[in-house]
Amino acid sequence: MASAATAAQTIEPQWTVWSALRSPRRLRTEVLAGLVVALALIPEAISFSIIAGVDPRVGLFAAFTMAVTISIVGGRPAMISAATGAVALVIAPLVRDYGVEYLIATVILAGVLQILLSVVGVARLMRFIPRSVMVGFVNALAILIFIAQVPHLLGVPWLVYPMVAIGIAAMVFLPKVSTVVPAPLVAIVLLTAATIVFALNVPNVGDEGELPSSLPSLVLPDVPLTFETLKIIAPYAFTMAIVGLLESLMTAKFVDDITDSHSNKTRESWGQGVANIVTGFFGGMGGCAMIGQTMINVKTSGARTRISTFLAGVFLLTLVVGLGDIVSLIPMAALVAVMIMVSVGTFDWHSIAPATLRRMPTSETLVMVATVAVTVATDNLAYGVAVGVVTAMVLFARRVAHLTEVVDVAHPDPDTRVYAVHGELFFASSNDLIYQFDYVSDPAHIVIDMSASHIWDASTVATLDAITTKYAAKGKTATIVGLNEASAQRHGLLSGNLGAGH
């Protein structure tokens, strides 16, 4: 393990803010990455504002405050948090029915809930998410990122298509020549310059919505401080908190894998809460980690520190407030090209390679497909991951249930028979255990050796009680031996106290 960790660090240095500030090359990478992400965030934030039913400024201010705050308090360096589509879908009904003031209160409450959830250890639940669900999560997000670009490619002037193609080509071939400047930034600058010089009539960022002309200011939600208000906002806040944490923690784990580094998931959890509270008090719509922009930052641009995340927020505000007239001229074709490349780079192509599918157990592939299908169908990561985890649990329980067996191992004397039980015993595997003994033909004394098994739940204890009861009804004795310490403790605590062997 030590050698593997050393090799990983050799390949991927663990950059800190201080070390990046002392390295001109690394600092340039972080600054340019932040600029590219800021440009990509603008149309996304505007689009999510439209989905949520709020003014574009609400989404743009959220992108600024989320990015800047999480760069300081978050646990995963270089990860981008901002207004997201998942959060927009959650809060849209609230905005429609109750207005923006209730939205602000909801965002603040969601942040408080995220902090509380982090304190009780919600981040540790990530260990229960199987790899197949993670792969499905990543693939589903790649598909959703691509689908989000489709409206920008339909019903548009024909010039959009060659511009997108040129942008993609630039991002594919430029890194083969030089990586001094991020290829997405070059593509955006070139296509914007061509649009201005040749006066091309193509959709641009300005068409997506009005950019703000002033800085965000501190606000307090103008809602009644009553229990009735809490009843209205609490369900939305809780859903927003769960969706935000789920997307953020899974994105953090994905970035960990890419960078061969470890991040503090608990800190990331409460950091997301702090960021949402700050965002709420500045009138933003809240948000969470964004895998698309994070991939631009980490994978495409090579950023590794909090500097890039902080500058993404600062550049975004500077661009929309100070340089809004210029930013509005950026052709959407350039940003679509960037996001298409992000989609292609995010998708785990190895997971669907024929050789992988032949080697991978069918159950693993089914979990991945279920996660992708539900996420794409509902446009909700929480639903997709939940279905994926449940599917994995059911398939695992079904598989393990068939690994339990009872073996007749010895007959010490004519009146004694010894059975050995092999396998992990829980509700799924122990149900059939009762049918694997010959109650009628067995001799008077039965020994059930549990040395090669483990008791995990009350269902198994109830089954063992039922077995001994059945032997007793035939005038025979059944003795259970060989329990390990944990199994013996559970059996001793529950045996005879579960009611008629149930």
Side-chain angles (χ1 to χ4, degrees), residues 409-430:
V409 293
H411 301 80
D413 56 65
D415 291 329
T416 305
R417 173 172 289 180
V418 180
Y419 286 104
V421 180
H422 297 268
E424 303 300 314
L425 301 174
F426 63 109
F427 62 90
S429 60
S430 63

Side-chain angles (χ1 to χ4, degrees), residues 211-250:
L211 300 179
S213 58
S214 61
L215 297 175
S217 57
L218 192 65
V219 298
L220 294 175
D222 185 16
V223 297
L225 298 178
T226 63
F227 182 70
E228 188 64 29
T229 298
L230 182 62
K231 284 174 59 179
I232 293 172
I233 67 174
Y236 293 100
F238 182 74
T239 304
M240 177 179 167
I242 294 298
V243 170
L245 284 179
L246 183 62
E247 186 164 354
S248 299
L249 291 175
M250 295 191 73

Side-chain angles (χ1 to χ4, degrees), residues 434 458-469 496-502:
I434 195 171
S459 295
T460 301
V461 176
T463 298
L464 292 175
D465 283 354
I467 291 171
T468 57
T469 300
N497 297 307
L498 296 174
H502 297 295

Side-chain angles (χ1 to χ4, degrees), residues 225-447:
L225 298 178
T226 63
F227 182 70
E228 188 64 29
T229 298
L230 182 62
K231 284 174 59 179
I232 293 172
I233 67 174
Y236 293 100
F238 182 74
T239 304
M240 177 179 167
I242 294 298
V243 170
L245 284 179
L246 183 62
E247 186 164 354
S248 299
L249 291 175
M250 295 191 73
T251 302
K253 189 175 186 303
F254 187 47
V255 177
D256 288 352
D257 294 339
I258 292 175
T259 60
D260 290 320
S261 61
H262 177 70
S263 59
N264 188 329
K265 305 300 187 300
T266 298
R267 178 177 173 180
E268 183 62 38
S269 299
W270 66 256
Q272 289 290 331
V274 172
N276 272 304
I277 292 174
V278 171
T279 297
F281 280 119
F282 278 93
M285 60 182 278
C288 59
M290 303 183 72
I291 193 168
Q293 275 65 23
T294 297
M295 288 302 98
I296 293 175
N297 196 45
V298 174
K299 198 169 185 180
T300 307
S301 302
R304 291 294 181 270
T305 75
R306 300 174 186 274
I307 296 174
S308 58
T309 306
F310 178 82
L311 289 179
V314 172
F315 282 144
L316 181 143
L317 190 65
T318 303
L319 289 169
V320 298
V321 175
L323 301 172
D325 292 340
I326 297 175
V327 171
S328 63
L329 297 177
I330 296 175
M332 286 302 299
L335 299 176
V336 167
V338 171
M339 297 310 295
I340 288 176
M341 288 300 296
V342 168
S343 173
V344 172
T346 301
F347 197 92
D348 186 351
W349 297 101
H350 178 265
S351 67
I352 62 170
T356 303
L357 294 175
R358 284 195 300 269
R359 189 179 301 110
M360 191 69 66
T362 303
S363 59
E364 300 287 331
T365 302
L366 183 59
V367 170
M368 180 193 72
V369 171
T371 304
V372 172
V374 174
T375 301
V376 173
T378 63
D379 202 20
N380 190 311
L381 291 170
Y383 291 159
V385 172
V387 169
V389 170
V390 170
T391 303
M393 291 172 59
V394 171
L395 293 175
F396 174 77
R398 182 175 179 272
R399 186 167 62 251
V400 174
H402 297 292
L403 298 180
T404 302
E405 63 175 345
V406 177
V407 182
D408 182 355
V409 293
H411 301 80
D413 56 65
D415 291 329
T416 305
R417 173 172 289 180
V418 180
Y419 286 104
V421 180
H422 297 268
E424 303 300 314
L425 301 174
F426 63 109
F427 62 90
S429 60
S430 63
N431 283 334
D432 293 334
L433 196 63
I434 195 171
Y435 304 113
Q436 299 188 44
F437 295 89
D438 190 350
Y439 304 99
V440 176
S441 302
D442 277 345
H445 302 293
I446 303 300
V447 177

Side-chain angles (χ1 to χ4, degrees), residues 51-220:
I51 292 173
V54 297
D55 188 281
R57 287 174 295 182
V58 177
L60 289 167
F61 288 160
F64 161 67
T65 53
M66 287 291 296
V68 170
T69 305
I70 206 67
S71 71
I72 300 170
V73 300
R76 173 64 258 178
M79 193 166 77
I80 304 297
S81 290
T84 61
V87 169
L89 288 169
V90 170
I91 62 176
L94 175 73
V95 175
R96 183 183 63 246
D97 296 337
Y98 298 98
V100 176
E101 296 297 333
Y102 280 83
L103 164 64
I104 295 173
T106 300
V107 173
I108 295 171
L109 178 58
V112 172
L113 291 174
Q114 286 178 326
I115 293 175
L116 293 176
L117 288 169
S118 70
V119 171
V120 300
V122 69
R124 290 193 290 271
L125 296 177
M126 284 298 295
R127 72 184 68 180
F128 295 105
I129 297 181
R131 181 186 178 279
S132 297
V133 175
M134 280 295 302
V135 173
F137 163 80
V138 170
N139 289 348
L141 281 175
I143 294 170
L144 289 175
I145 291 170
F146 182 83
I147 291 174
Q149 311 314 309
V150 173
H152 300 295
L153 298 172
L154 299 176
V156 294
W158 67 270
L159 280 172
V160 168
Y161 304 111
M163 291 179 71
V164 170
I166 291 171
I168 292 174
M171 286 179 280
V172 170
F173 295 109
L174 185 60
K176 301 180 186 299
V177 178
S178 173
T179 57
V180 174
V181 180
L185 181 58
V186 175
I188 292 171
V189 171
L190 286 177
L191 291 176
T192 302
T195 302
I196 296 173
V197 171
F198 298 105
L200 302 178
N201 184 22
V202 293
N204 56 36
V205 171
D207 297 330
E208 296 296 300
E210 183 181 358
L211 300 179
S213 58
S214 61
L215 297 175
S217 57
L218 192 65
V219 298
L220 294 175

